[in-house]
Amino acid sequence: VILDKSIVYWATAILDSRSIWWGGRRHLTPLLDLVNADVVGRAHETKVEESSAVTRASRPVKRDEQVCENYQQPNYLLFAFHGFVLDSNPSDCALLAGLSINHNDPGAKFANRLQTSPTFCISGTNVDSMRELAQFLRMKHGLSANNVESDAWLDEDVVPFLTQVLEVRISRLEDLSETVWGAELEDESIPQKRRYMHHVARSDLAHFLGSLELLKEWKS
């Protein structure tokens, strides 16, 4: 069967943006996917009860009040899989990916213990969001793992490597902000999805800058 590329793109977008997950699998559930999102109440959860998919409201709902659900997901996931972002999202963080342990790294012998492409969710207001990244960098650079599971995981050995990773991301995003964001954000003809991309990138920059400040505060 030969399918038109646009149809494949459409079908993929429907699955990504409309699927409801439970039991480790995605499902298309008519009407449930029409519920809008906000950040109030407990996290969205769908369960199978008898033969029905049941999602209960995340908090009490008054008569004539819109029913919303709280995904409790960062904006990069909301944009990638649901097609929107939230202006004020307490669950937001910056996706940090693209790191690997190479054969010439001091920690090369640990490479087989890690995911092929590890990802990290970095919050500019929560220093603990860098814990897993710090653990990875310890392995990559052959540092002592004595503090990995303790409250003293952040120390003078790993902070320079954390700082370097953050500064690289900040530099990339600041270059983008200077060349693209300023002009396009003032142009109302720019498609909404591109504006959402800008929103995620600006949020990422804020999280990385905030994380760098947290490291500076720790050193001082």
Side-chain angles (χ1 to χ4, degrees), residues 16-73:
D16 279 346
S17 64
R18 297 298 178 183
S19 293
I20 306 296
W21 285 81
W22 69 81
R25 298 175 61 186
R26 67 172 77 196
H27 304 77
L28 290 177
T29 311
L31 298 183
L32 181 57
D33 65 324
L34 297 178
V35 179
N36 286 326
D38 63 11
V39 297
V40 181
R42 64 177 182 274
H44 160 93
E45 183 179 16
T46 298
K47 297 180 179 179
V48 176
E49 297 183 5
E50 297 181 352
S51 60
S52 301
V54 177
T55 301
R56 290 181 168 82
S58 60
R59 75 276 192 177
V61 180
K62 298 178 181 179
R63 183 175 181 177
D64 295 328
E65 180 182 357
Q66 181 180 188
V67 175
C68 294
E69 57 186 351
N70 185 356
Y71 286 87
Q72 285 193 6
Q73 294 179 347

Side-chain angles (χ1 to χ4, degrees), residues 70-133:
N70 185 356
Y71 286 87
Q72 285 193 6
Q73 294 179 347
N75 277 333
Y76 75 84
L77 285 179
L78 293 178
F79 176 62
F81 293 102
H82 303 286
F84 68 90
V85 298
L86 297 171
D87 289 334
S88 179
N89 185 355
S91 299
D92 196 31
C93 61
L95 174 64
L96 196 156
L99 299 178
S100 62
I101 295 181
N102 303 313
H103 70 277
N104 58 341
D105 286 329
K109 62 183 179 180
F110 300 117
N112 60 351
R113 301 184 187 181
L114 302 172
Q115 299 178 32
T116 304
S117 301
T119 60
F120 308 95
C121 194
I122 306 300
S123 169
T125 59
N126 180 7
V127 69
D128 280 336
S129 70
M130 290 184 278
R131 181 188 290 263
E132 291 185 0
L133 175 59

Side-chain angles (χ1 to χ4, degrees), residues 138 143-150:
R138 284 183 179 281
L143 303 179
S144 168
N146 292 338
N147 293 330
V148 166
E149 300 299 334
S150 74

Side-chain angles (χ1 to χ4, degrees), residues 181-193:
W181 297 344
E184 289 200 353
L185 289 178
E186 300 299 325
D187 187 350
E188 296 183 357
S189 67
I190 298 299
Q192 185 65 61
K193 63 181 180 180

